[in-house]
Tab-separated table of all heavy atoms in Angstrom:
chain	number	residue	atom	x	y	z
A	18	ALA	N	21.562	-7.221	-12.700
A	18	ALA	CA	20.716	-7.453	-13.898
A	18	ALA	C	20.023	-8.818	-13.762
A	18	ALA	O	18.828	-8.916	-14.126
A	18	ALA	CB	21.553	-7.381	-15.159
A	19	ARG	N	20.675	-9.840	-13.321
A	19	ARG	CA	20.088	-11.212	-13.238
A	19	ARG	C	18.982	-11.129	-12.204
A	19	ARG	O	17.905	-11.662	-12.409
A	19	ARG	CB	21.169	-12.207	-12.846
A	19	ARG	CG	20.623	-13.643	-12.854
A	19	ARG	CD	21.509	-14.625	-11.960
A	19	ARG	NE	21.516	-14.262	-10.584
A	19	ARG	CZ	20.478	-14.440	-9.718
A	19	ARG	NH1	19.337	-15.033	-10.145
A	19	ARG	NH2	20.620	-14.131	-8.466
A	20	ILE	N	19.180	-10.508	-10.991
A	20	ILE	CA	18.186	-10.390	-9.970
A	20	ILE	C	16.996	-9.595	-10.517
A	20	ILE	O	15.840	-9.981	-10.275
A	20	ILE	CB	18.754	-9.684	-8.767
A	20	ILE	CG1	19.790	-10.532	-8.060
A	20	ILE	CG2	17.635	-9.263	-7.778
A	20	ILE	CD1	20.641	-9.879	-7.067
A	21	GLN	N	17.329	-8.476	-11.231
A	21	GLN	CA	16.171	-7.738	-11.865
A	21	GLN	C	15.347	-8.673	-12.785
A	21	GLN	O	14.053	-8.604	-12.665
A	21	GLN	CB	16.687	-6.556	-12.571
A	21	GLN	CG	15.641	-5.691	-13.160
A	21	GLN	CD	16.113	-4.419	-13.870
A	21	GLN	OE1	17.312	-4.341	-14.176
A	21	GLN	NE2	15.274	-3.454	-14.085
A	22	LEU	N	15.912	-9.378	-13.687
A	22	LEU	CA	15.155	-10.181	-14.628
A	22	LEU	C	14.395	-11.196	-13.853
A	22	LEU	O	13.189	-11.485	-14.143
A	22	LEU	CB	16.156	-10.796	-15.655
A	22	LEU	CG	16.518	-9.908	-16.804
A	22	LEU	CD1	17.461	-10.700	-17.721
A	22	LEU	CD2	15.288	-9.411	-17.516
A	23	ALA	N	15.097	-11.973	-12.932
A	23	ALA	CA	14.409	-13.070	-12.258
A	23	ALA	C	13.231	-12.528	-11.485
A	23	ALA	O	12.173	-13.136	-11.405
A	23	ALA	CB	15.394	-13.779	-11.326
A	24	THR	N	13.449	-11.370	-10.804
A	24	THR	CA	12.329	-10.859	-9.983
A	24	THR	C	11.163	-10.341	-10.846
A	24	THR	O	9.991	-10.631	-10.541
A	24	THR	CB	12.776	-9.714	-9.107
A	24	THR	OG1	13.970	-10.240	-8.322
A	24	THR	CG2	11.751	-9.169	-8.112
A	25	TRP	N	11.432	-9.613	-11.852
A	25	TRP	CA	10.352	-9.073	-12.760
A	25	TRP	C	9.609	-10.266	-13.425
A	25	TRP	O	8.418	-10.164	-13.470
A	25	TRP	CB	11.062	-8.199	-13.872
A	25	TRP	CG	11.350	-6.851	-13.576
A	25	TRP	CD1	11.529	-6.362	-12.267
A	25	TRP	CD2	11.505	-5.783	-14.473
A	25	TRP	NE1	11.811	-4.997	-12.299
A	25	TRP	CE2	11.784	-4.605	-13.715
A	25	TRP	CE3	11.424	-5.617	-15.789
A	25	TRP	CZ2	12.059	-3.372	-14.214
A	25	TRP	CZ3	11.682	-4.407	-16.342
A	25	TRP	CH2	12.019	-3.273	-15.591
A	26	ARG	N	10.314	-11.284	-13.795
A	26	ARG	CA	9.556	-12.414	-14.449
A	26	ARG	C	8.654	-13.144	-13.460
A	26	ARG	O	7.679	-13.840	-13.953
A	26	ARG	CB	10.641	-13.331	-15.150
A	26	ARG	CG	11.246	-12.679	-16.356
A	26	ARG	CD	12.340	-13.493	-17.017
A	26	ARG	NE	12.747	-12.893	-18.229
A	26	ARG	CZ	13.865	-13.142	-18.772
A	26	ARG	NH1	14.758	-14.022	-18.285
A	26	ARG	NH2	14.224	-12.557	-19.969
A	27	VAL	N	8.961	-13.030	-12.231
A	27	VAL	CA	7.994	-13.654	-11.218
A	27	VAL	C	7.037	-12.642	-10.741
A	27	VAL	O	5.834	-12.891	-10.818
A	27	VAL	CB	8.845	-14.211	-10.044
A	27	VAL	CG1	7.884	-14.655	-8.901
A	27	VAL	CG2	9.660	-15.410	-10.438
A	28	ALA	N	7.446	-11.507	-10.327
A	28	ALA	CA	6.499	-10.505	-9.687
A	28	ALA	C	5.641	-9.855	-10.699
A	28	ALA	O	4.492	-9.456	-10.276
A	28	ALA	CB	7.378	-9.401	-8.977
A	29	TYR	N	6.089	-9.675	-11.986
A	29	TYR	CA	5.246	-8.906	-12.898
A	29	TYR	C	4.664	-9.806	-13.998
A	29	TYR	O	4.136	-9.273	-14.974
A	29	TYR	CB	6.190	-7.793	-13.553
A	29	TYR	CG	6.705	-6.802	-12.527
A	29	TYR	CD1	7.863	-6.109	-12.836
A	29	TYR	CD2	6.042	-6.581	-11.378
A	29	TYR	CE1	8.448	-5.195	-11.961
A	29	TYR	CE2	6.596	-5.621	-10.410
A	29	TYR	CZ	7.695	-5.033	-10.758
A	29	TYR	OH	8.303	-4.095	-9.849
A	30	ARG	N	4.701	-11.103	-13.800
A	30	ARG	CA	4.170	-11.950	-14.834
A	30	ARG	C	2.645	-11.744	-15.173
A	30	ARG	O	2.241	-12.078	-16.294
A	30	ARG	CB	4.436	-13.387	-14.571
A	30	ARG	CG	3.795	-14.016	-13.358
A	30	ARG	CD	4.148	-15.462	-13.110
A	30	ARG	NE	3.427	-16.077	-12.120
A	30	ARG	CZ	3.616	-16.007	-10.820
A	30	ARG	NH1	4.556	-15.251	-10.459
A	30	ARG	NH2	2.804	-16.648	-9.905
A	31	ARG	N	1.917	-11.234	-14.249
A	31	ARG	CA	0.516	-11.003	-14.555
A	31	ARG	C	0.238	-9.466	-14.768
A	31	ARG	O	-0.898	-9.097	-14.964
A	31	ARG	CB	-0.338	-11.480	-13.353
A	31	ARG	CG	-0.402	-13.086	-13.314
A	31	ARG	CD	-1.392	-13.539	-12.238
A	31	ARG	NE	-1.469	-14.948	-12.283
A	31	ARG	CZ	-0.666	-15.685	-11.592
A	31	ARG	NH1	0.289	-15.264	-10.767
A	31	ARG	NH2	-0.799	-17.110	-11.757
A	32	ILE	N	1.318	-8.736	-14.715
A	32	ILE	CA	1.162	-7.231	-14.893
A	32	ILE	C	1.676	-6.831	-16.222
A	32	ILE	O	1.022	-5.936	-16.887
A	32	ILE	CB	1.950	-6.557	-13.760
A	32	ILE	CG1	1.298	-6.973	-12.351
A	32	ILE	CG2	1.963	-5.008	-13.964
A	32	ILE	CD1	2.142	-6.382	-11.156
A	33	LEU	N	2.761	-7.384	-16.683
A	33	LEU	CA	3.419	-6.956	-18.003
A	33	LEU	C	3.289	-8.065	-19.013
A	33	LEU	O	3.192	-9.225	-18.581
A	33	LEU	CB	4.858	-6.622	-17.732
A	33	LEU	CG	5.204	-5.454	-16.787
A	33	LEU	CD1	6.777	-5.419	-16.617
A	33	LEU	CD2	4.593	-4.204	-17.272
A	34	PRO	N	3.158	-7.752	-20.370
A	34	PRO	CA	2.984	-8.791	-21.285
A	34	PRO	C	4.209	-9.824	-21.193
A	34	PRO	O	5.326	-9.371	-21.065
A	34	PRO	CB	2.995	-8.022	-22.567
A	34	PRO	CG	2.699	-6.627	-22.197
A	34	PRO	CD	3.145	-6.410	-20.851
A	35	ARG	N	3.842	-11.039	-21.403
A	35	ARG	CA	4.907	-12.115	-21.301
A	35	ARG	C	6.055	-11.975	-22.247
A	35	ARG	O	7.211	-12.071	-21.872
A	35	ARG	CB	4.273	-13.471	-21.456
A	35	ARG	CG	5.329	-14.607	-21.283
A	35	ARG	CD	4.635	-15.895	-21.429
A	35	ARG	NE	5.668	-16.904	-21.334
A	35	ARG	CZ	5.582	-18.127	-20.794
A	35	ARG	NH1	4.368	-18.420	-20.273
A	35	ARG	NH2	6.480	-19.006	-20.752
A	36	HIS	N	5.684	-11.597	-23.473
A	36	HIS	CA	6.825	-11.485	-24.469
A	36	HIS	C	7.758	-10.288	-24.132
A	36	HIS	O	8.928	-10.377	-24.421
A	36	HIS	CB	6.273	-11.237	-25.910
A	36	HIS	CG	5.536	-10.011	-26.123
A	36	HIS	ND1	4.176	-9.817	-25.821
A	36	HIS	CD2	5.902	-8.856	-26.659
A	36	HIS	CE1	3.857	-8.561	-26.081
A	36	HIS	NE2	4.873	-7.982	-26.590
A	37	VAL	N	7.260	-9.320	-23.471
A	37	VAL	CA	8.146	-8.234	-23.065
A	37	VAL	C	9.083	-8.717	-21.963
A	37	VAL	O	10.307	-8.385	-22.056
A	37	VAL	CB	7.351	-7.018	-22.490
A	37	VAL	CG1	8.162	-5.975	-21.791
A	37	VAL	CG2	6.437	-6.429	-23.642
A	38	LEU	N	8.606	-9.485	-20.997
A	38	LEU	CA	9.510	-10.023	-19.981
A	38	LEU	C	10.462	-11.000	-20.583
A	38	LEU	O	11.640	-11.047	-20.220
A	38	LEU	CB	8.613	-10.682	-18.924
A	38	LEU	CG	7.799	-9.691	-18.007
A	38	LEU	CD1	6.870	-10.535	-17.100
A	38	LEU	CD2	8.656	-8.805	-17.311
A	39	ASP	N	9.926	-11.815	-21.484
A	39	ASP	CA	10.908	-12.852	-22.176
A	39	ASP	C	11.948	-12.203	-22.945
A	39	ASP	O	13.022	-12.891	-23.113
A	39	ASP	CB	10.031	-13.809	-23.006
A	39	ASP	CG	9.145	-14.694	-22.176
A	39	ASP	OD1	9.393	-14.871	-21.000
A	39	ASP	OD2	8.210	-15.300	-22.775
A	40	ASN	N	11.688	-11.105	-23.535
A	40	ASN	CA	12.674	-10.438	-24.438
A	40	ASN	C	13.587	-9.366	-23.755
A	40	ASN	O	14.445	-8.843	-24.450
A	40	ASN	CB	11.893	-9.776	-25.627
A	40	ASN	CG	11.308	-10.850	-26.473
A	40	ASN	OD1	11.846	-11.948	-26.640
A	40	ASN	ND2	10.165	-10.553	-27.090
A	41	LEU	N	13.575	-9.317	-22.513
A	41	LEU	CA	14.432	-8.322	-21.778
A	41	LEU	C	15.911	-8.824	-21.936
A	41	LEU	O	16.193	-10.037	-21.782
A	41	LEU	CB	14.065	-8.211	-20.331
A	41	LEU	CG	12.849	-7.459	-20.030
A	41	LEU	CD1	12.447	-7.626	-18.574
A	41	LEU	CD2	12.936	-5.996	-20.417
A	42	ASP	N	16.807	-7.945	-22.285
A	42	ASP	CA	18.186	-8.323	-22.591
A	42	ASP	C	19.051	-8.125	-21.344
A	42	ASP	O	19.343	-7.008	-20.901
A	42	ASP	CB	18.690	-7.374	-23.744
A	42	ASP	CG	20.105	-7.658	-24.153
A	42	ASP	OD1	20.810	-8.476	-23.441
A	42	ASP	OD2	20.500	-7.130	-25.160
A	43	GLU	N	19.463	-9.249	-20.785
A	43	GLU	CA	20.310	-9.178	-19.514
A	43	GLU	C	21.632	-8.452	-19.685
A	43	GLU	O	22.060	-7.747	-18.812
A	43	GLU	CB	20.464	-10.565	-19.016
A	43	GLU	CG	21.140	-10.679	-17.635
A	43	GLU	CD	21.103	-12.066	-17.013
A	43	GLU	OE1	20.329	-12.988	-17.474
A	43	GLU	OE2	21.905	-12.341	-16.092
A	44	ALA	N	22.243	-8.612	-20.793
A	44	ALA	CA	23.531	-7.991	-21.079
A	44	ALA	C	23.375	-6.413	-21.105
A	44	ALA	O	24.189	-5.704	-20.618
A	44	ALA	CB	24.129	-8.491	-22.363
A	46	LEU	N	20.978	-4.757	-19.611
A	46	LEU	CA	20.627	-4.312	-18.295
A	46	LEU	C	21.918	-4.255	-17.500
A	46	LEU	O	22.154	-3.339	-16.668
A	46	LEU	CB	19.645	-5.260	-17.637
A	46	LEU	CG	18.233	-5.193	-18.144
A	46	LEU	CD1	17.345	-6.240	-17.363
A	46	LEU	CD2	17.624	-3.767	-17.920
A	110	LEU	N	14.148	-4.221	-5.316
A	110	LEU	CA	13.911	-5.638	-5.636
A	110	LEU	C	14.654	-6.610	-4.826
A	110	LEU	O	15.911	-6.434	-4.545
A	110	LEU	CB	14.265	-5.864	-7.133
A	110	LEU	CG	13.418	-5.065	-8.123
A	110	LEU	CD1	13.930	-5.327	-9.560
A	110	LEU	CD2	12.009	-5.348	-8.081
A	112	GLU	N	15.149	-10.816	-4.877
A	112	GLU	CA	14.801	-12.054	-5.608
A	112	GLU	C	13.855	-12.888	-4.835
A	112	GLU	O	14.087	-13.150	-3.628
A	112	GLU	CB	16.117	-12.767	-5.943
A	112	GLU	CG	15.845	-13.886	-7.015
A	112	GLU	CD	17.195	-14.556	-7.395
A	112	GLU	OE1	18.304	-14.156	-6.855
A	112	GLU	OE2	17.052	-15.558	-8.197
A	113	PRO	N	12.756	-13.338	-5.438
A	113	PRO	CA	11.714	-14.014	-4.714
A	113	PRO	C	12.105	-15.142	-3.786
A	113	PRO	O	11.641	-15.302	-2.753
A	113	PRO	CB	10.723	-14.527	-5.800
A	113	PRO	CG	10.850	-13.466	-6.858
A	113	PRO	CD	12.335	-13.123	-6.891
Side-chain angles (χ1 to χ4, degrees):
R19 186 199 64 74
I20 291 167
Q21 182 178 16
L22 280 181
T24 305
W25 280 21
R26 287 175 175 159
V27 171
Y29 301 154
R30 69 183 183 277
R31 290 188 176 88
I32 298 172
L33 300 176
R35 181 179 177 146
H36 69 276
V37 169
L38 293 171
D39 288 345
N40 291 325
L41 290 170
D42 183 349
E43 189 169 339
L46 292 174
L110 299 172
E112 191 174 357

